């Protein structure tokens, strides 16, 4: 067998996100929906932050324009040239959180991914100003109860 079966290609995170955004990277029609819970999404970002390996991605070069799905919920400019065979959950989580777009979950509903929650006592100093400095451009939802306030960090605002 002389034909090349696999080739190694390095992508930056930004390059992967751009290719998903344009439609260059998509999903085969047989791929399952997004099933990760938010803990796994958080752990993915924690691993990336700490510099741990997060696995290999495997793509299939697409020769058929019709048999695919997109990552995220918005329209794409291109028909996918590459289909994700391994790494769909990681790429979908990364794309959804970094671009602030909803995903289609295992119940085929659109939802945004929440990656963290913070609680603090009502009379203590609110961490919102610190969060805005640490996470500029992120949507931060705040709800207040009688004794405890809760802050939820959502995906970046597009």
């Amino acid at each position: 067998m002389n034909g090349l079966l696999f080739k190694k290609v390095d992508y930056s995170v930004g390059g992967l996100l751009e290719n998903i955004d344009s439609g260059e990277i998509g999903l085969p029609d047989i791929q399952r929906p997004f099933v990760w819970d938010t803990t796994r999404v958080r752990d993915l970002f924690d691993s990336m932050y700490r510099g741990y390996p997060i696995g290999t991605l495997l793509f299939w070069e697409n020769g058929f324009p019709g048999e695919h799905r997109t990552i995220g919920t918005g329209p794409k400019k291109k028909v996918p040239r590459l289909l994700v065979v391994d790494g769909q959950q990681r790429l979908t989580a990364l794309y959804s959180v970094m671009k602030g777009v909803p995903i289609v979950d295992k119940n085929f509903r659109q939802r945004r991914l929440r990656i963290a929650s913070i609680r603090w006592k009502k009379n203590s100093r609110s961490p919102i100003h610190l969060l805005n400095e640490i996470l500029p451009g992120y949507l931060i939802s705040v709800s207040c109860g009688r004794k405890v306030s809760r802050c939820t960090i959502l995906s970046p605002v597009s």
Side-chain angles (χ1 to χ4, degrees):
M1 203 178 335
N2 292 340
L4 179 66
L5 293 179
F6 295 95
K7 66 179 175 181
K8 180 182 178 283
V9 180
D10 292 322
Y11 290 96
S12 66
V13 172
L16 284 169
L17 296 177
E18 285 177 29
N19 285 331
I20 293 169
D21 211 27
S22 70
E24 184 81 13
I25 295 175
L27 302 172
D29 204 29
I30 61 169
Q31 190 71 271
R32 69 182 178 166
F34 186 78
V35 297
W36 273 15
D37 61 21
T38 53
T39 303
R40 298 226 25 212
V41 175
R42 184 205 59 216
D43 290 348
L44 172 70
F45 278 86
D46 184 58
S47 293
M48 291 173 66
Y49 175 77
R50 294 172 187 265
Y52 297 157
I54 59 167
T56 301
L57 303 171
L58 184 61
F59 297 104
W60 182 274
E61 287 191 11
N62 184 20
F64 302 100
E67 305 298 320
H68 70 277
R69 291 184 300 127
T70 61
I71 297 175
T73 58
K76 307 294 181 185
K77 299 174 190 164
K78 299 179 181 179
V79 172
R81 183 181 61 82
L82 300 171
L83 298 177
V84 181
V85 176
D86 184 39
Q88 180 237 348
Q89 302 295 307
R90 288 171 283 154
L91 279 177
T92 301
L94 184 65
Y95 180 69
S96 177
V97 171
M98 298 298 288
K99 292 289 190 170
V101 298
I103 51 95
V104 177
D105 67 15
K106 62 186 173 190
N107 299 314
F108 298 96
R109 290 188 298 235
Q110 289 187 21
R111 68 179 174 96
R112 291 185 73 157
L113 295 176
R114 294 175 181 222
I115 57 173
S117 290
I118 298 169
R119 291 179 180 263
W120 70 94
K121 295 200 184 232
K122 190 157 187 136
N123 293 331
S124 65
R125 191 168 173 223
S126 166
I128 295 297
H129 69 282
L130 294 173
L131 290 173
N132 283 326
E133 290 175 16
I134 295 167
L135 301 169
Y138 278 72
L139 177 62
I140 299 173
S141 167
V142 179
S143 60
C144 297
R146 287 187 132 174
K147 294 183 180 178
V148 175
S149 295
R150 180 182 181 137
C151 171
T152 301
I153 303 167
L154 303 171
S155 301
V157 178
S158 300

